C-alpha cells in the first residue's frame, strides 16, 4: 500500500532525526508544498471518483499522524537541547549567597525597644529630658536636699556646683509634671551617669522610669502595672515579689524582685543563693515631689517605678560583664 | 550593719530560725544581705537604708523584730548611784544651731585595761577592733543603742571646760585652725567646721573623731564621757570635705536621737563603772534646742484608699503600737506620735508606709488600673514620634549592614585634639566634668566621631578590620540655653572600613560612594529634600574625599513674596585624613576609614514627615536616548546636572547617570559622562520625529553650556 510505504519510510527517518534541523527537513519532505503527502493528495485526481473519499481520508489521517509525531519529536529534541545547555551553565549552588551584609542592633537598645513597646501597649506616653541636668531637678525637686545622706546612694558627676550629669531619669518626671497637669501616664527612657566603674558598674548606663498620676491611684495599682510588665517581659510564669525599701521621692517605697530565672528559685551565683533577683525600684510618689511641682496632694496620687536596662539585658542574654556593652567589640555586638 | 543573733536576744525573744528571721526582716524593709554562721552565734549583715538611722543599732533592730513578732522589747540596764557634790567643770555651746544638746559625765579613778572577752567578742562580730575597756564601752554602746559617744582623758582637758564652737569662732589669728586626730593625721579646718574645744585648743572634731591630745591611754585615770547631738548636714559636710568616715559620723549625719543621748550616757557610765571601776561624779547636760514632739493625724479610710485595700483597724493599731509609736484613736481618726528615734516619720504617708510594710506588701492585691483612654493635651509632635523615626533609621542601618554601638558620652583631650578642629569651632567649646573617673573621659563629647574612632581602635587592635558601625546619641555643645543648660543635640554617626580585596564577590565601587549612598537613603527616609553635597573642609577628613551635607530651604516662608534660599549644614562624610589616622594607637595602613556624622535633631526639626500623595500612573509609553559627552574634568557631576535641569521641558521625565570614565583614550583634563534621558508626555504617544527635534535641541543646549563634545 502506498500509505504504508509512506508511513514506514517516515518512521525510519523520524527515528534517525537528531536535531531541530532534521525535523524541519522532514516537515518539508513530507508536508511541504512539494512534499510526499501533498503530492499524494494531488495524485488522487487520477483515481476513480468513488475511490477518492477513502483515499483522501486515509491520506489526511496519515498527514495528521505525521504532524503529531513531528511536533512531539521536535518538543523532545528542544527539551534535550535546553537540558544540555543548562548543564553547561550549571553553578556551584553550594557557594554562599552574595548577601547584603546585615548588621545588628545593640542589645541594650533591643531590650529598651521591648520595654518601651510593652508600656506603650499599656497606654503610656514617652517623655525625654536633658542628660546634663540642674541639681535641682536631679535631686532637690525629688526630695533629696544637698547634704542629705540619700545622696550617698548615687555618686554624681558634677559639671558645676549646680549642674550634674543626671544620675537617674527621674528629673524628666519633674519636668513633665511642671509642663502638664494630671492625669499623666508616661515612661522616660534614657542614659544616666554615675561616678562608678567596676565589673558591675559603668559610668554611664540606661534607665527606664515610669510615672502614673491620677485621682484614684493606689499602691495596689502599682503592684498591678509592674506585675503585668514583668510577666510580659520575663514570661507568664515569673514570680514577682515586692519588699519595703527607701527612695527619697516615693513613700511607701518598694524593691521589686523576680524569682531567679536562672536557677528557678533554687539559689545560684547570679541570685547570690537567694532565689530572687532585684530588678526594679518603685513606690507611691512622695507628696513632697507633688508639692514641688504644684500638684494638689489632697486630690492627686501617683506611683513611679524605675529599672536598669543593663541589668535586664544581662539577664535576658546571660551576659556576665557589664563593661562589654560599651567596649563595642563587634564580636560581641554581632551576637545579637 | 552587722547584728549577732545572741546580742539581739538580750532585748527580744526570738524563737524563729535564723533564715526565717532573715526573711521577715527583709520583707519588712531591713534587707538581710548575708547570714554568717559562727560556732556559737549567727551574724546577720543588714542593709540599713538612709532613712532608718534608728536601725543602726542592735536595740533598733530588736525593736523591729519585736514589732514583727509581737514580742515585748526590754531596755539594757543603766541605773547607778552617782557621788554628790559640786562639779568643778563647765560646758558651753557657742553654736547651738549645729549642736542641739551636749551632755558630759565625769568618772574618776578608772583602771584602763583590755575589755573582758564577752565585750571584745561582740565588738569583733560587728567588725570593730577592741582597744581598751573605756573606748570599747563607748563603741559597745554605739552599737547597742546607736548613739555615738566619746571618752576624753579629763586631765588632758585644759581649763576644766568644754566649748562647742566652729573653727571660725575659736580661731585666734588669720591661720586656719588645725587639729591632730586620733588616726594620727593633722587636719586643717574650714571656719564652718564644728569643734569640741577646751580652754586653749580643739580637742575633737565634733561627731567625727577625737583629737590625739585628749586621747584615753593606759595612764588615764579620770574621764569625761561625751554624749551629744550634732546637726546631720554639718557633720556630713565636714566628713565629706575631709574625707573622714567613721561609725560616729555615719550615724550623726543620718540623724541621731536627742532623747536616747542621755540613756546612752547612763548606759556607758554604768558599764564603765562595772568594768573599769572608778567613782561616778555628776553630769552636765546643756540642751538648748529640745526635741519637738510631732503629731500626725490620719484616718483609717485614708490608709485604705492609699493602699487600695482594707486593712483591719485592729491590725493598724497593733502595728503602730508594736513599733513604739504613740497613738490615740477617735472614730476613724488616729493621732500618731512618733518617738524621737523615728525622725523619718513626718507625715501621713510615712505612717501609711509603717502600716503597710509590717502588714506585708505581699498581702496587697495586684490590681490593673481601670484605664480610661488617655489623650495627650498638647498635640505637638511628641518624643514618641521622634523615637519612632529614630527606630526606623536604626532598622534601616541594620539592613545596610551596620552594627549599632553605644559609647560613653565622654571624650578625652587627645581625642578631640586629634581631629585638628579649629579653636573657634563650637566643638572645641567642651563641657568638662569636675570629677571624671579618668582623664580620657574628662569632657562631654562634642562629636560622635571621637567615639567611633575609639571603637575603630578597639576593634582594629583585636583584628576586627571590616567595620560598619553606627551610633545615634547625644553630643554636648557648651552654649547655654534659656534653661541654663547646654545644648544636647542627637547625632547619627557612621563608620565604614573594609579590609580590601579578599572578597568572594567583587564590588569595585569606591567606599566613599557606598557610605554616601547609605547617607542619601537615610535622608530620603527622613524626607529631607534639596540635599546638597559640597566640598568639606573638615580638618580631619581627606581634602579630596570629603563632603559637607547641606539642605537648601526657603527661610522666607512667612512672606512668600521674598523667599530667600538658605543652606544649612546637616552633616558631613568622608575619608579620615592620613594625619588623624597616623596619630592613632593602632597602625591602619592599607585601608581607608570613612566617617559620616548627621545632625539628626536639626534634620528632624526642619523636616516634616509628609504623607505621599498619589500620582496617576503614566498612560503613554516613554522613549529613551543615551548621550555620552566629553567634558572638562573640573565640571563636577552635580554642576552638570544643574545644567541639565535648567533645560525646561515637560516631557523630560528622568535623566539617569550611568557612566563616568577617565583614563585610556581620553585626555587627562577631560572625562566622559554618559546618561540616559527618558522622554514621556502625559497627553499622547510621542512620535520619533518629535523626540528627535527635542533631543537634538537638548543635546545642543548641553554642549553649549558645558563646552563639551559629543562622544562617538
Ligand atoms: Zn538563681
Amino acid at each position: 500500500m502506498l500509505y504504508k510505504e509512506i508511513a514506514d519510510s517516515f518512521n525510519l527517518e523520524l527515528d534517525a532525526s537528531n536535531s531541530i534541523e532534521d525535523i524541519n527537513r522532514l516537515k518539508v519532505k513530507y508536508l511541504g508544498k512539494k512534499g510526499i503527502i501533498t503530492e499524494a493528495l494531488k495524485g488522487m485526481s487520477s483515481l476513480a471518483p468513488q475511490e477518492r473519499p477513502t483515499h483522501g481520508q486515509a491520506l489526511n489521517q496519515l498527514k495528521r499522524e505525521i504532524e503529531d509525531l513531528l511536533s512531539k519529536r521536535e518538543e523532545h529534541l528542544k527539551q534535550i537541547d535546553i537540558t544540555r545547555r543548562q548543564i553547561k551553565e550549571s553553578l556551584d549552588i553550594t557557594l554562599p549567597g552574595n548577601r547584603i551584609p546585615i548588621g545588628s542592633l545593640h542589645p541594650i537598645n533591643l531590650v529598651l525597644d521591648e520595654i518601651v513597646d510593652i508600656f506603650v501597649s499599656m497606654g503610656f506616653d514617652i517623655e525625654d529630658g536633658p542628660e546634663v541636668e540642674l541639681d535641682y531637678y536631679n535631686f532637690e525637686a525629688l526630695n533629696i536636699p544637698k547634704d542629705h545622706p540619700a545622696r550617698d546612694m548615687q555618686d554624681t558627676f558634677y559639671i558645676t556646683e549646680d549642674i550634674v550629669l543626671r544620675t537617674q531619669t527621674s528629673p524628666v518626671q519633674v519636668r513633665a509634671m511642671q509642663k502638664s497637669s494630671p492625669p499623666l501616664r508616661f515612661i522616660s527612657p534614657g542614659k544616666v551617669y554615675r561616678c562608678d566603674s567596676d565589673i558591675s558598674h559603668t559610668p554611664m548606663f540606661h534607665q527606664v522610669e515610669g510615672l502614673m498620676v491620677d485621682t484614684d491611684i493606689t499602691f495596689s495599682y502599682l503592684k498591678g502595672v509592674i506585675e503585668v510588665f514583668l510577666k510580659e517581659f520575663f514570661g507568664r510564669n515569673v514570680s514577682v515579689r515586692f519588699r519595703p525599701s527607701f527612695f527619697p521621692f516615693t513613700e511607701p517605697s518598694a524593691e521589686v524582685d523576680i524569682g531567679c530565672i536562672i536557677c528557678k528559685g533554687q539559689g545560684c551565683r547570679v541570685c547570690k543563693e537567694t532565689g530572687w533577683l532585684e530588678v526594679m525600684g518603685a513606690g507611691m510618689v512622695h507628696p513632697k515631689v507633688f508639692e514641688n511641682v504644684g500638684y494638689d496632694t489632697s486630690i492627686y496620687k501617683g506611683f513611679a517605678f524605675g529599672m536598669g536596662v543593663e541589668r535586664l539585658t544581662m539577664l535576658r542574654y546571660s551576659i556576665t560583664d557589664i563593661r562589654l556593652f560599651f567596649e563595642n567589640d563587634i564580636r560581641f555586638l554581632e551576637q545579637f | 550593719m552587722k547584728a549577732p543573733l545572741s546580742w539581739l536576744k538580750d532585748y527580744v525573744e526570738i524563737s524563729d530560725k535564723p533564715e526565717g528571721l532573715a526573711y521577715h526582716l527583709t520583707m519588712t524593709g531591713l534587707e538581710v544581705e548575708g547570714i554568717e554562721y559562727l560556732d556559737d552565734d549567727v551574724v546577720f549583715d543588714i542593709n540599713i537604708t538612709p532613712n532608718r538611722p534608728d536601725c543602726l543599732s542592735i536595740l533598733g533592730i530588736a525593736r523591729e523584730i519585736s514589732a514583727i513578732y509581737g514580742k515585748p522589747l526590754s531596755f539594757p540596764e543603766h541605773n547607778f548611784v552617782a557621788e554628790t557634790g559640786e562639779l568643778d567643770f563647765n560646758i558651753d555651746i557657742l553654736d547651738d544651731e549645729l549642736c542641739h544638746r551636749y551632755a558630759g559625765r565625769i568618772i574618776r579613778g578608772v583602771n584602763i585595761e583590755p575589755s573582758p572577752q564577752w565585750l571584745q567578742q561582740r565588738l569583733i562580730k560587728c567588725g570593730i577592733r577592741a582597744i581598751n575597756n573605756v573606748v570599747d564601752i563607748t563603741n559597745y554602746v554605739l552599737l547597742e543603742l546607736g548613739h555615738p559617744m566619746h571618752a576624753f582623758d579629763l586631765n588632758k582637758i585644759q581649763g576644766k571646760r568644754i566649748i562647742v564652737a566652729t573653727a571660725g569662732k575659736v580661731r585666734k589669728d588669720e591661720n586656719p585652725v588645725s587639729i591632730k586626730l586620733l588616726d594620727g593625721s593633722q587636719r586643717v579646718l574650714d571656719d564652718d567646721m564644728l569643734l569640741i574645744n577646751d580652754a586653749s585648743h580643739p580637742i575633737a572634731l565634733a561627731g567625727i573623731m577625737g583629737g590625739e591630745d585628749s586621747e584615753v591611754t593606759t595612764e588615764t585615770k579620770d574621764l569625761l564621757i561625751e554624749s551629744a547631738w550634732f546637726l546631720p548636714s554639718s557633720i556630713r559636710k565636714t566628713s565629706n570635705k575631709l574625707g573622714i568616715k567613721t561609725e560616729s559620723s555615719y550615724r550623726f549625719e543620718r540623724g541621731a536621737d536627742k532623747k536616747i543621748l542621755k540613756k546612752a550616757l547612763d548606759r556607758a557610765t554604768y558599764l564603765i563603772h562595772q568594768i573599769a571601776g572608778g567613782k561616778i561624779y555628776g553630769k552636765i547636760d546643756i540642751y538648748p534646742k529640745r526635741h519637738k514632739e510631732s503629731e500626725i493625724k490620719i484616718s483609717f479610710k485614708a490608709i485604705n484608699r492609699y493602699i487600695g485595700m482594707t486593712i483591719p483597724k485592729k491590725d493598724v493599731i497593733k502595728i503602730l503600737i508594736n513599733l513604739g509609736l504613740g497613738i490615740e484613736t477617735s472614730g476613724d481618726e488616729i493621732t500618731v506620735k512618733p518617738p524621737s528615734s523615728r525622725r523619718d516619720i513626718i507625715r501621713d504617708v510615712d505612717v501609711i508606709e509603717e502600716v503597710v510594710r509590717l502588714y506585708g506588701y505581699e498581702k496587697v492585691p495586684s490590681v490593673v488600673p481601670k484605664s480610661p483612654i488617655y489623650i495627650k493635651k498638647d498635640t505637638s509632635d511628641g518624643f514618641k514620634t521622634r523615637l519612632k523615626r529614630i527606630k526606623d533609621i536604626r532598622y534601616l542601618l541594620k539592613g545596610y549592614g551596620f552594627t549599632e554601638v553605644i559609647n560613653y558620652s565622654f571624650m578625652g583631650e587627645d581625642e578631640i585634639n586629634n581631629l585638628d578642629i579649629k579653636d573657634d569651632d563650637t566643638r572645641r567649646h567642651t563641657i568638662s566634668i569636675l570629677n571624671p573617673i579618668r582623664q580620657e573621659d574628662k569632657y562631654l563629647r562634642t562629636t560622635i566621631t571621637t567615639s567611633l574612632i575609639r571603637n575603630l581602635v578597639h576593634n582594629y587592635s583585636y583584628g576586627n578590620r571590616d567595620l560598619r558601625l553606627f551610633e545615634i546619641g547625644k553630643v554636648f555643645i557648651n552654649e547655654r540655653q534659656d534653661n541654663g543648660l547646654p545644648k544636647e543635640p542627637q547625632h547619627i554617626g557612621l563608620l565604614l572600613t573594609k579590609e580590601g580585596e579578599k572578597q568572594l564577590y567583587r564590588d569595585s565601587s569606591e567606599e566613599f560612594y557606598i557610605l554616601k549612598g547609605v547617607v542619601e537613603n537615610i535622608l530620603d527616609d527622613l524626607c529631607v529634600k534639596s540635599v546638597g553635597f559640597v566640598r568639606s573642609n573638615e580638618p580631619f577628613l581627606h581634602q579630596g574625599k570629603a563632603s559637607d551635607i547641606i539642605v537648601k530651604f526657603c527661610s522666607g516662608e512667612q512672606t512668600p513674596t521674598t523667599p530667600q534660599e538658605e543652606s544649612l549644614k546637616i552633616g558631613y562624610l568622608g575619608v579620615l585624613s592620613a594625619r588623624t589616622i597616623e596619630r592613632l594607637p593602632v597602625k591602619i595602613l592599607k585601608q581607608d576609614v570613612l566617617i559620616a556624622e548627621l545632625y539628626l535633631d536639626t534634620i528632624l526639626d526642619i523636616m516634616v514627615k509628609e504623607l505621599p500623595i498619589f500620582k496617576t500612573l503614566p498612560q503613554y509609553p516613554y522613549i529613551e536616548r543615551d548621550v555620552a559627552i566629553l567634558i572638562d574634568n573640573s565640571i563636577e557631576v552635580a554642576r552638570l546636572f544643574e545644567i541639565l535641569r535648567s533645560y525646561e521641558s515637560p516631557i523630560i521625565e528622568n535623566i539617569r547617570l550611568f557612566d563616568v570614565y577617565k583614563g585610556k583614550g581620553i585626555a587627562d583634563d577631560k572625562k566622559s559622562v554618559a546618561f540616559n534621558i527618558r522622554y514621556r508626555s502625559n497627553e499622547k504617544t510621542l512620535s520619533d520625529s518629535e523626540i528627535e527635534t527635542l533631543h537634538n535641541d537638548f543635546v545642543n543646549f548641553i554642549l553649549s553650556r558645558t563646552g563639551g563634545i559629543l562622544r562617538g
Side-chain angles (χ1 to χ4, degrees):
Chain A
M1 287 295 279
L2 180 64
Y3 319 118
K4 177 128 179 31
E5 278 169 23
I6 296 174
D8 285 350
S9 86
F10 172 75
N11 282 334
L12 275 175
E13 285 196 77
L14 185 70
D15 284 348
S17 69
N18 263 328
S19 65
I20 302 291
E21 291 75 51
D22 290 348
I23 298 296
N24 287 339
R25 202 172 38 77
L26 286 179
K27 275 185 190 164
V28 173
K29 180 170 179 185
Y30 287 88
L31 306 171
K33 278 179 191 157
K34 297 202 171 150
I36 292 170
I37 300 284
T38 324
E39 291 297 323
L41 280 168
K42 280 183 198 160
M44 280 208 318
S45 56
S46 64
L47 290 176
Q50 66 272 33
E51 288 181 3
R52 285 180 197 165
T54 339
H55 277 279
Q57 262 176 19
L59 270 175
N60 278 323
Q61 169 73 25
L62 182 60
K63 186 183 176 191
R64 276 195 302 276
E65 277 170 18
I66 288 176
E67 278 171 349
D68 196 39
L69 285 168
L70 276 174
S71 96
K72 277 193 180 134
R73 183 71 182 169
E74 185 176 13
E75 198 48 48
H76 176 70
L77 287 173
K78 268 189 187 162
Q79 194 51 53
I80 288 175
D81 199 37
I82 289 172
T83 307
R84 199 178 290 136
R85 213 165 59 224
Q86 287 185 344
I87 287 170
K88 227 165 81 188
E89 290 167 359
S90 150
L91 296 177
D92 179 354
I93 47 92
T94 63
L95 275 176
N98 186 4
R99 289 165 63 163
I100 300 167
I102 299 285
S104 57
L105 296 177
H106 199 285
I108 294 288
N109 277 340
L110 288 174
V111 169
L112 203 56
D113 285 348
E114 204 180 322
I115 296 169
V116 167
D117 286 348
I118 294 172
F119 281 106
V120 166
S121 77
M122 288 197 270
F124 281 73
D125 199 6
I126 309 167
E127 292 282 349
D128 181 38
E131 289 174 20
V132 180
E133 185 53 285
L134 295 174
D135 184 276
Y136 174 79
Y137 285 102
N138 194 71
F139 291 121
E140 307 240 348
L142 291 162
N143 199 25
I144 316 171
K146 280 211 159 84
D147 293 320
H148 191 279
R151 289 209 179 188
D152 278 355
M153 295 165 92
Q154 306 172 357
D155 292 316
T156 312
F157 281 118
Y158 284 91
I159 301 296
T160 69
E161 206 177 318
D162 302 312
I163 298 178
V164 300
L165 294 185
R166 68 177 180 194
T167 59
Q168 46 198 358
T169 59
S170 329
V172 179
Q173 298 183 5
V174 181
R175 286 180 178 275
M177 284 191 279
Q178 280 183 345
K179 204 173 63 184
S180 17
S181 50
L184 287 178
R185 193 194 301 170
F186 65 82
I187 53 166
S188 49
K191 289 177 181 150
V192 299
Y193 302 84
R194 290 189 198 170
C195 193
D196 208 351
S197 184
D198 58 41
I199 187 161
S200 48
H201 299 88
T202 46
M204 183 187 88
F205 56 99
H206 295 74
Q207 272 192 344
V208 177
E209 296 204 358
L211 178 73
M212 189 161 174
V213 182
D214 209 335
T215 52
D216 61 346
I217 301 293
T218 66
F219 189 72
S220 100
Y221 283 178
L222 161 71
K223 285 190 70 177
V225 168
I226 287 177
E227 273 191 36
V228 168
F229 165 71
L230 289 173
K231 285 180 191 290
E232 279 291 314
F233 189 86
F234 285 107
R236 301 277 154 200
N237 298 325
V238 79
S239 42
V240 179
R241 79 174 189 188
F242 292 74
R243 59 188 164 79
S245 187
F246 167 73
F247 305 107
F249 35 89
T250 51
E251 189 80 10
S253 305
E255 293 280 5
V256 189
D257 299 339
I258 58 164
C260 180
I261 50 173
I262 288 148
C263 62
K264 306 281 174 257
Q266 298 305 299
C268 68
R269 243 186 45 213
V270 177
C271 61
K272 294 184 194 125
E273 307 301 331
T274 62
W276 294 95
L277 296 167
E278 196 177 302
V279 290
M280 287 174 83
M284 297 294 285
V285 177
H286 199 289
K288 203 69 175 272
V289 176
F290 280 156
E291 283 161 14
N292 287 340
V293 297
Y295 283 6
D296 186 340
T297 55
S298 67
I299 300 173
Y300 293 112
K301 313 225 170 337
F303 65 75
F305 56 83
M307 67 196 100
V309 183
E310 276 71 3
R311 170 119 176 109
L312 297 186
T313 311
M314 289 170 88
L315 290 174
R316 164 128 310 172
Y317 302 114
S318 308
I319 296 165
T320 46
D321 186 343
I322 192 174
R323 291 169 297 195
L324 283 168
F325 289 131
F326 306 108
E327 247 171 31
N328 295 308
D329 192 306
I330 54 166
R331 294 165 302 173
F332 169 74
L333 295 173
E334 283 173 351
Q335 294 179 28
F336 305 97
Chain B
M1 170 86 196
K2 291 241 167 66
L5 182 60
S6 63
W7 199 348
L8 290 166
K9 281 181 170 170
D10 282 0
Y11 318 114
V12 64
E13 183 195 323
I14 298 170
S15 47
D16 206 347
K17 287 202 191 86
E19 300 75 29
L21 179 62
Y23 173 80
H24 282 108
L25 283 169
T26 298
M27 295 309 283
T28 50
L30 298 192
E31 186 192 358
V32 177
E33 289 184 317
I35 307 176
E36 194 186 344
Y37 296 91
L38 304 177
D39 287 345
D40 58 339
D41 208 347
V42 176
V43 180
F44 299 100
D45 189 0
I46 304 175
N47 175 22
I48 308 290
T49 51
N51 59 325
R52 294 300 303 275
D54 63 299
C55 286
L56 291 170
S57 65
I58 303 297
L59 190 74
I61 295 165
R63 186 185 294 112
E64 287 285 307
I65 296 169
S66 105
I68 294 166
Y69 292 93
K71 300 282 184 193
L73 182 75
S74 56
F75 198 85
E77 183 64 52
H78 59 286
N79 292 321
F80 51 84
V81 181
E83 308 289 322
T84 52
E86 189 77 354
L87 256 185
D88 185 18
F89 201 87
N90 285 306
I91 294 174
D92 294 300
I93 303 176
L94 299 191
D95 289 281
D96 60 11
E97 284 304 324
L98 303 185
C99 175
H100 292 191
R101 188 176 189 181
Y102 195 103
R105 165 80 67 182
I106 288 170
I107 305 170
R108 294 184 194 274
V110 294
N111 290 313
I112 305 297
E113 290 171 342
S115 303
Q117 271 307 308
W118 66 266
L119 198 155
Q120 290 200 21
Q121 280 309 310
R122 283 195 165 173
L123 291 185
I124 290 164
K125 282 176 191 171
C126 294
I128 290 182
R129 206 162 45 93
I131 295 166
N132 60 48
N133 49 11
V134 168
V135 173
D136 289 354
I137 286 166
T138 58
N139 283 331
Y140 182 85
V141 178
L142 171 135
L143 292 171
E144 184 178 49
L145 304 181
H147 195 83
M149 276 175 292
H150 187 68
F152 295 101
D153 185 325
L154 182 67
N155 301 322
K156 293 179 189 161
I157 299 176
Q158 295 175 32
K160 294 179 180 175
R161 64 179 307 194
I162 290 278
I163 302 160
V164 184
T166 54
K169 289 214 169 106
V170 296
R171 186 155 53 83
K172 293 168 187 132
D173 46 36
E174 270 96 85
N175 300 324
V177 177
S178 73
I179 182 170
K180 190 163 191 194
L181 295 174
L182 278 175
D183 63 3
S185 68
Q186 185 78 31
R187 301 293 181 144
V188 178
L189 307 172
D190 290 351
D191 276 358
D192 61 352
M193 293 177 174
L194 190 68
L195 294 171
I196 311 302
N197 307 277
D198 65 11
S200 70
H201 71 305
I203 56 172
L205 193 56
I208 298 173
M209 196 181 275
E212 206 182 49
D213 287 357
S214 56
E215 189 182 359
V216 172
T217 63
T218 43
E219 275 78 57
T220 301
K221 284 289 162 213
D222 304 337
L223 303 169
L224 174 76
I225 312 293
E226 166 203 285
S227 186
W229 192 96
F230 302 111
L231 189 71
S233 58
S234 154
I235 297 293
R236 182 175 162 78
K237 209 172 153 197
T238 304
S239 142
N240 276 350
K241 189 93 187 266
L242 298 177
I244 311 174
K245 295 258 169 218
T246 60
E247 293 283 341
S248 171
S249 71
Y250 190 78
R251 283 169 178 78
F252 277 125
E253 70 174 50
R254 277 159 176 73
D257 179 353
K258 275 186 209 174
K259 283 171 100 173
I260 210 165
L261 170 166
K262 184 176 158 293
K263 281 186 185 165
L265 184 58
D266 289 351
R267 172 69 173 156
T269 305
Y270 168 85
L271 287 172
I272 290 169
H273 183 66
Q274 292 283 313
I275 292 167
K279 276 188 177 169
I280 303 169
Y281 285 83
K283 177 186 73 185
I284 304 164
D285 186 0
I286 313 293
Y287 195 0
K289 300 243 180 221
R290 301 193 76 82
H291 171 73
K292 284 199 203 79
E293 298 287 340
S294 66
E295 267 190 16
I296 303 160
K297 287 197 194 306
I298 186 166
S299 68
F300 289 100
K301 213 171 88 192
I303 296 174
N304 293 336
R305 252 198 14 223
Y306 207 75
I307 302 302
M309 71 175 295
T310 304
I311 300 178
K313 282 190 186 182
K314 64 167 181 24
D315 288 334
V316 173
I317 293 168
K318 206 173 95 193
I319 287 167
L320 296 176
I321 290 174
N322 286 346
L323 281 169
L325 309 188
I327 64 162
E328 279 165 32
T329 59
S330 99
D332 196 48
E333 286 276 313
I334 329 171
T335 305
V336 180
K337 288 181 186 158
S340 56
S341 59
R342 294 300 304 274
R343 295 196 338 134
D344 59 313
I345 302 177
I346 299 162
R347 49 201 298 171
D348 53 357
V349 288
D350 301 321
V351 176
I352 293 173
E353 180 178 56
E354 293 305 302
V355 172
V356 67
R357 80 178 171 90
L358 279 150
Y359 188 70
Y361 279 12
E362 73 279 4
K363 289 189 196 140
V364 178
S366 294
V367 179
V368 178
K370 272 179 268 152
S371 180
I373 291 174
Y374 172 84
I375 298 162
K376 224 179 149 206
K377 279 162 207 146
D378 70 288
T379 53
S380 64
D381 198 16
F383 182 65
K384 192 148 109 186
T385 317
R386 200 164 266 229
L387 209 61
K388 165 82 176 59
R389 295 180 71 179
I390 291 171
K391 193 172 169 182
D392 288 349
I393 297 170
R394 288 172 44 231
Y395 277 85
L396 197 67
L397 283 168
K398 178 187 171 185
Y400 295 143
F402 283 77
T403 294
E404 184 176 34
V405 296
I406 301 179
N407 282 289
Y408 294 143
S409 309
F410 309 130
M411 63 179 188
E413 186 133 32
D414 290 346
E415 286 172 304
I416 188 70
N417 284 346
N418 193 22
L419 298 186
D420 296 316
I421 297 169
K422 286 202 203 81
D423 285 346
D424 57 357
D425 191 294
T426 49
R427 286 171 292 187
R428 295 306 292 257
H429 303 167
T430 47
I431 298 163
S432 48
I433 297 168
L434 294 178
N435 54 333
I437 287 183
R438 23 172 243 162
Q439 284 305 306
E440 295 94 315
D441 291 334
K442 186 177 166 191
Y443 299 113
L444 293 182
R445 66 179 179 189
T446 52
T447 163
I448 290 191
T449 294
T450 52
S451 297
L452 290 174
I453 292 177
R454 258 190 205 192
N455 302 150
L456 169 75
V457 169
H458 170 89
N459 277 293
Y460 216 84
S461 65
Y462 285 93
N464 313 329
R465 289 172 189 171
D466 283 326
L467 299 173
R468 286 185 176 216
L469 307 178
F470 82 96
E471 176 169 12
I472 301 182
K474 286 178 170 178
V475 301
F476 301 83
I477 306 296
N478 200 358
E479 281 170 16
R480 290 290 154 92
Q481 308 173 93
D482 295 343
N483 63 6
L485 294 171
K487 286 184 187 159
E488 306 180 0
Q490 293 237 56
H491 284 189
I492 304 177
L494 298 157
L495 180 142
L496 184 156
T497 184
K498 218 164 60 175
E499 191 159 25
E501 316 83 43
K502 290 181 199 156
Q503 278 181 339
L504 181 56
Y505 304 106
R506 304 269 176 275
D507 176 359
S508 56
S509 63
E510 275 261 1
E511 282 142 9
F512 178 88
Y513 297 115
I514 297 176
L515 191 61
K516 185 176 173 185
V518 170
V519 165
E520 285 173 320
N521 274 346
I522 296 171
L523 294 174
D524 236 26
D525 187 70
L526 286 167
C527 292
V528 185
K529 304 206 176 61
S530 5
V531 180
F533 290 83
V534 297
R535 273 203 191 277
S536 172
N537 46 23
E538 289 289 5
F540 51 91
L541 296 179
H542 183 303
Q543 280 183 359
K545 296 182 181 176
S547 165
D548 278 353
I549 306 158
I550 56 165
V551 284
K552 294 176 198 131
F553 63 96
C554 292
S555 62
E557 235 176 339
Q558 260 60 32
T559 54
T561 47
T562 58
Q564 217 177 352
E565 199 175 63
E566 283 189 28
S567 74
L568 181 70
K569 180 169 172 179
I570 55 166
Y572 57 83
L573 87 127
V575 174
L576 273 188
S577 80
R579 196 77 192 94
T580 296
I581 291 282
E582 77 186 14
R583 285 184 297 217
L584 296 179
V586 289
K587 286 274 155 283
I588 303 172
L589 299 172
K590 291 188 190 138
Q591 56 192 103
D592 276 350
V593 177
L594 286 98
I595 288 274
E597 185 161 14
L598 294 172
Y599 311 155
L600 181 60
D601 273 353
T602 312
I603 296 168
L604 291 175
D605 284 343
I606 55 171
M607 295 303 148
V608 186
K609 185 136 192 164
E610 285 165 12
L611 289 176
I613 295 167
F614 166 72
K615 290 192 234 32
T616 331
L617 303 183
Q619 293 177 37
Y620 302 99
Y622 60 81
I623 295 177
E624 290 185 328
R625 291 284 185 275
D626 288 348
V627 179
I629 55 171
L630 213 55
I631 55 171
D632 274 356
N633 218 346
S634 61
I635 302 176
E636 289 186 336
V637 164
R639 173 69 197 131
L640 175 65
F641 267 70
E642 256 173 47
I643 293 168
L644 295 180
R645 281 198 207 93
S646 70
Y647 184 85
E648 280 179 37
S649 163
I651 64 167
I652 298 175
E653 187 179 79
N654 188 33
I655 306 172
R656 185 173 59 84
L657 184 74
F658 67 84
D659 188 47
V660 178
Y661 176 73
K662 282 185 276 193
K664 217 174 157 189
I666 291 176
D668 277 354
D669 58 342
K670 302 279 179 195
K671 64 182 164 195
S672 156
V673 180
F675 45 90
N676 168 284
I677 307 163
R678 177 179 284 191
Y679 297 100
R680 187 191 327 248
S681 160
N682 286 331
E683 282 141 20
K684 57 178 180 174
T685 303
L686 296 166
S687 70
D688 275 351
S689 62
E690 281 173 295
I691 287 306
E692 227 33 62
T693 318
L694 178 73
H695 181 67
N696 286 337
D697 188 58
F698 188 26
V699 170
N700 286 333
F701 173 84
I702 298 166
L703 297 179
S704 71
R705 292 301 174 91
T706 57
I709 52 168
L710 216 48
R711 260 196 107 203

